[in-house]
Amino acid sequence: MDVKIKNAIFGILSIATSLIMAAALLEFYVRLTQADGTNFDIEMWRYAKDLKVVSEIPGAGHEHTPGKGGVYMGVPITINSAGWRDREHSMAKENGTVRIIMLGDSLTFGWGARPEDVTSYRLERLLNAKERKFEVINTGIGNANTAMEATYFMKKAYVYKPDIVVLNYFINDAEPTPRRTENFFLEHFYSAVFIAGRFDVLMRTYFGRADWQHYYRGLYQENEPGWLGAQGALKELASYCKARNIKLIVVNYPDLHELSPYPFQDITSLVASKVKALDIPFLDLLPAVENQAPQSLWVTKTDSHPNGKAAGLYADSIARVLVTQIPEDFRGSVN
């Protein structure tokens, strides 16, 4: 073999070996320094990889794998046999029980919060402080939107025959339904997830990619497909519940980065107008927390998902509005 060809092959092999070694060292470094349960990007990736599966229901996006569990963001997560972060619930409701199903995303799911600090748990405990029996079922799943949540309920969770459906709404619920794309590196390597997260921060900071405020506002342009989908899902869910004598309420969760003044009050008002036009009660949870220091409500110093303090304030507000909006079921339940 020609010496030049041998040298070229040797050079290519040397470069390839160096790149593989560098990648291995980077993967080792990220696992050593970032896989301690505090890196949001990595923990969300682990959660999706370990606990989620593509839903067989068209439009539902993804679901939890029943019976799975693990520790994410330093807290235990257990998925029950129905696919929810909740205790087991019988499909048949006990006589005299008011059953409430909570639909929502990672805020409803309780991302980063201990099981006892999830809003649904707090709400059930509060409602059951008096004589009547209440059952609150948490069907929340991370990275879901309103269209996915409504579809999931109408196609699957409806069999639990709730008396009340609480649709928990967050500002990013107007995002289009995500589609899972296969990426070998993002499927298998911590380092790829870490780099992707740092790259996104770099693009937002220095290269003009929309920051979180501009991104949220962009979701609510008149013809944005995600926002149109959310409105369509609200209408369909309202009709579905009305036809079956299920009471529906929409609860709006504020973004906890800035509370006073709140930068998205106009979007909240827009969502409220669409909900009220369908004759659905609407609760904005901002008044429950607007006088609090924002970071005092976060699960960690860098993750603004609601902690136990926020969940307690939210549960108190939801319980009060259920009493006032649906008095025949809740009269005398809460002071």
Side-chain angles (χ1 to χ4, degrees):
M1 184 180 292
D2 188 89
V3 174
K4 289 184 178 180
I5 295 176
K6 287 184 177 179
N7 289 338
I9 293 174
F10 178 77
I12 292 170
L13 291 175
S14 297
I15 292 171
T17 301
S18 298
L19 289 174
I20 291 171
M21 290 182 63
L25 287 171
L26 178 61
E27 179 71 9
F28 175 76
Y29 169 80
V30 172
R31 287 179 181 249
L32 183 66
T33 63
Q34 304 296 320
D36 60 353
T38 62
N39 183 292
F40 175 83
D41 293 330
I42 288 176
E43 293 302 289
M44 265 290 184
W45 169 72
R46 289 181 57 239
Y47 157 62
K49 186 171 178 287
D50 296 348
L51 304 188
K52 288 193 207 173
V53 64
V54 175
S55 177
E56 295 181 354
I57 302 169
H62 49 254
E63 300 179 37
H64 290 132
T65 303
K68 298 279 281 187
V71 177
Y72 306 89
M73 295 298 290
V75 299
I77 291 174
T78 302
I79 305 302
N80 69 13
S81 61
W84 310 324
R85 188 190 182 189
D86 207 333
R87 69 179 190 278
E88 295 294 334
H89 293 273
S90 170
M91 197 174 294
K93 186 180 65 174
E94 292 182 17
N95 290 334
T97 297
V98 176
R99 176 172 280 177
I100 303 165
I101 279 187
M102 302 271 278
L103 308 179
D105 60 9
S106 58
L107 281 77
T108 304
F109 172 82
W111 176 256
R114 297 173 299 176
E116 65 270 22
D117 286 334
V118 177
T119 301
S120 58
Y121 178 93
R122 295 281 186 124
L123 178 62
E124 184 177 76
R125 188 171 61 181
L126 180 61
L127 292 173
N128 283 324
K130 288 198 173 183
E131 193 171 321
R132 194 174 177 110
K133 174 70 175 177
F134 298 89
E135 183 183 15
V136 180
I137 298 177
N138 177 11
T139 70
I141 182 169
N143 300 115
N145 62 25
T146 293
M148 294 164 62
E149 295 152 15
T151 297
Y152 174 78
F153 172 70
M154 292 185 291
K155 299 297 184 182
K156 189 170 184 177
Y158 74 93
V159 298
Y160 283 79
K161 294 182 170 58
D163 302 287
I164 300 157
V165 169
V166 178
L167 176 64
N168 297 292
Y169 192 89
F170 186 63
I171 193 169
N172 69 353
D173 283 352
E175 290 179 330
T177 298
R179 293 184 178 182
R180 180 167 180 167
T181 56
E182 297 290 339
N183 182 303
F184 176 80
F185 295 102
L186 290 176
E187 288 282 336
H188 297 93
F189 296 102
Y190 282 64
S191 53
V193 177
F194 178 75
I195 290 171
R198 297 306 91 197
F199 180 76
D200 182 66
V201 171
L202 183 68
M203 293 298 292
R204 293 183 190 281
T205 304
Y206 298 108
F207 296 98
R209 181 176 291 180
D211 63 19
W212 60 278
Q213 289 199 16
H214 288 91
Y215 173 74
Y216 284 160
R217 291 195 171 281
L219 296 176
Y220 290 86
Q221 299 301 310
E222 186 175 356
N223 293 317
E224 282 295 310
W227 175 223
L228 293 174
Q231 293 177 72
L234 277 171
K235 291 178 183 178
E236 190 175 358
L237 182 61
S239 297
Y240 183 95
C241 290
K242 184 176 181 181
R244 291 159 180 79
N245 199 30
I246 301 170
K247 288 158 184 172
L248 173 65
I249 180 171
V250 174
V251 176
N252 185 75
Y253 288 66
D255 184 281
L256 294 178
H257 284 96
E258 297 178 20
L259 295 172
S260 185
Y262 187 60
F264 303 116
Q265 192 58 57
D266 56 331
I267 294 177
T268 301
S269 297
L270 174 63
V271 174
S273 70
K274 301 297 183 182
V275 172
K276 292 175 182 178
L278 298 171
D279 199 28
I280 304 170
F282 179 85
L283 170 64
D284 181 17
L285 290 177
L286 177 62
V289 295
E290 63 183 341
N291 294 323
Q292 305 294 322
Q295 284 194 310
S296 72
L297 305 171
W298 298 6
V299 289
T300 71
K301 292 180 180 179
T302 57
D303 187 343
S304 63
H305 281 81
N307 61 15
K309 177 182 176 181
L313 295 169
Y314 289 162
D316 186 59
S317 290
I318 295 170
R320 285 201 307 270
V321 83
L322 289 175
V323 171
T324 59
Q325 294 287 350
I326 317 173
E328 64 270 28
D329 283 342
F330 288 89
R331 187 179 296 115
S333 303
V334 182
N335 291 330

